[in-house]
Amino acid sequence: MNEVYHLLSNMVKDTGSETYFLSILQHLLLIRNDYYIRRPPGRPRTRWRDYVSRLVWERLGIPPDELEEVAGERGVWASLLRLLPPRPDPG
């Protein structure tokens, strides 16, 4: 792998393609191999809104159909959030 990098690097060195080559390498470094993290086949996708609705229903007792209305009232929403237990310390 190292040999391939050096070969390609030497080919594009001091050319207009050098910046593109470096950009491609940067993009390749950012590609995640999350095969083991992905949703298993057959399991339905969970939308962020559905997840939040379920949490609010479980922890605050607000039905999903009322969530948008309650969350729109900032004072009410803030007072409800204060009822939640504090987050556990990550450390």
Side-chain angles (χ1 to χ4, degrees), residues 1-84:
M1 187 63 128
N2 207 11
E3 297 159 355
V4 173
Y5 164 75
H6 287 295
L7 175 69
L8 291 172
S9 179
N10 288 333
M11 288 175 66
V12 298
K13 192 175 214 171
D14 299 324
T15 68
S17 300
E18 185 175 20
T19 55
Y20 296 114
F21 175 67
L22 293 175
S23 176
I24 290 169
L25 290 178
Q26 289 172 339
H27 285 287
L28 289 174
L29 288 172
L30 296 175
I31 294 175
R32 293 180 4 178
N33 182 7
D34 59 355
Y35 174 77
Y36 298 105
I37 300 172
R38 292 186 182 190
R39 174 182 52 87
R43 188 174 129 217
R45 296 174 191 261
T46 303
R47 295 182 325 180
W48 180 84
R49 186 180 193 127
D50 295 340
Y51 178 70
V52 170
S53 296
R54 185 174 53 85
L55 283 176
V56 170
W57 174 254
E58 290 173 359
R59 297 188 182 183
L60 296 175
I62 300 172
D65 55 334
E66 296 176 17
L67 174 61
E68 193 170 333
E69 180 184 337
V70 173
E73 299 176 29
R74 294 182 72 141
V76 174
W77 185 246
S79 65
L80 287 170
L81 291 179
R82 282 189 220 106
L83 297 174
L84 292 173

